[in-house]
Amino acid sequence: MGLFTRRTAPTTVATLEVDPALAALTGDYVIDAAHSSIGFTVRHAMVTNVRGGFTEHEGTLHLDGGDPSRSTSVIDVKIASIGTGIADRDTHLRSGDFFDAEAFPVMSFHSTSAETLGGDAYRITGELTIKDVTRPLSIDLEFTGSATDVYGNERVGFEGAAEILRSDWGLTWNAALEAGGVMVSDKVKLTFDISAIKQA
């Protein structure tokens, strides 16, 4: 179910017909961090993947079911909440070699545009700030549905993914391997599983 469907009138003039169910989702939402996740995957030692995520984040969404291009989002992530399952590695990631969490405690994303890709697929573009570097980022999203939970909260869900080069944000630490290659890949895959609650 897309945010709107395109239909062709008998005169062959394309018109937009808004889905009433999705138009009803228009409003402001707060991301439910307890039921959402922001993760990443990076190649390690050229042979395997390390996965991790951030356990502390907050954000807001404004959804426009009649015109998705008017939808917006803001997400702030606490760098100190990074976790990969290995305490020493997490400490290194928080250090000045990588995120420098003490000096730059928050990573943020602020959307600047949104577009429909057809069906339940969308793309949101904005600015991602890590440390003192801000660069554009586009995230492809799938609208996974809406529901009213047992507490009466109206929820919407999205799954998303993007790829970045960490060096674009000044995250350049690495170590050469004896057999060739490097310890940590430049390419990082980002994943988003978002549950958001509509505000009264």
Side-chain angles (χ1 to χ4, degrees):
M1 181 169 64
L3 287 180
F4 58 74
T5 54
R6 184 178 295 275
R7 304 193 186 279
T8 303
T11 59
T12 71
V13 176
T15 60
L16 293 179
E17 187 172 303
V18 177
D19 185 324
L22 288 172
L25 298 179
T26 297
D28 296 316
Y29 293 75
V30 171
I31 293 175
D32 178 7
H35 297 94
S36 302
S37 64
I38 297 175
F40 60 86
T41 303
V42 62
R43 201 77 168 164
H44 178 261
M46 310 294 291
V47 297
T48 191
N49 290 320
V50 168
R51 292 177 173 82
F54 299 89
T55 58
E56 295 182 44
H57 49 82
E58 60 185 19
T60 58
L61 309 174
H62 174 75
L63 302 184
D64 190 321
D67 183 357
S69 69
R70 297 169 63 89
S71 299
T72 60
S73 69
V74 175
I75 301 174
D76 291 326
V77 178
K78 292 186 178 180
I79 295 299
S81 72
I82 195 169
T84 63
I86 303 295
D88 287 346
R89 180 166 58 209
D90 296 344
T91 297
H92 190 198
L93 288 170
R94 296 184 190 105
S95 76
D97 283 345
F98 286 95
F99 288 102
D100 197 357
E102 185 173 345
F104 304 98
V106 176
M107 170 175 62
S108 63
F109 175 80
H110 293 248
S111 70
T112 55
S113 65
E115 61 183 306
T116 181
L117 303 179
D120 292 327
Y122 302 89
R123 178 172 294 144
I124 189 162
T125 297
E127 295 183 335
L128 175 66
T129 300
I130 303 175
K131 298 173 77 169
D132 56 352
V133 179
T134 299
R135 294 182 61 89
L137 174 68
S138 292
I139 304 169
D140 287 344
L141 296 168
E142 178 186 357
F143 173 61
T144 55
S146 62
T148 301
D149 66 22
V150 295
Y151 302 105
N153 297 313
E154 294 183 54
R155 291 179 177 268
V156 292
F158 293 91
E159 295 178 356
E163 289 188 356
I164 66 171
L165 297 179
R166 60 189 179 90
S167 60
D168 287 344
W169 280 266
L171 303 176
T172 57
W173 183 91
N174 228 320
L177 302 174
E178 289 186 10
V182 293
M183 181 69 73
V184 184
S185 69
D186 192 21
K187 183 171 69 175
V188 180
K189 298 177 182 179
L190 305 176
T191 57
F192 305 85
D193 287 285
I194 301 298
S195 177
I197 298 173
K198 192 172 188 179
Q199 302 301 286

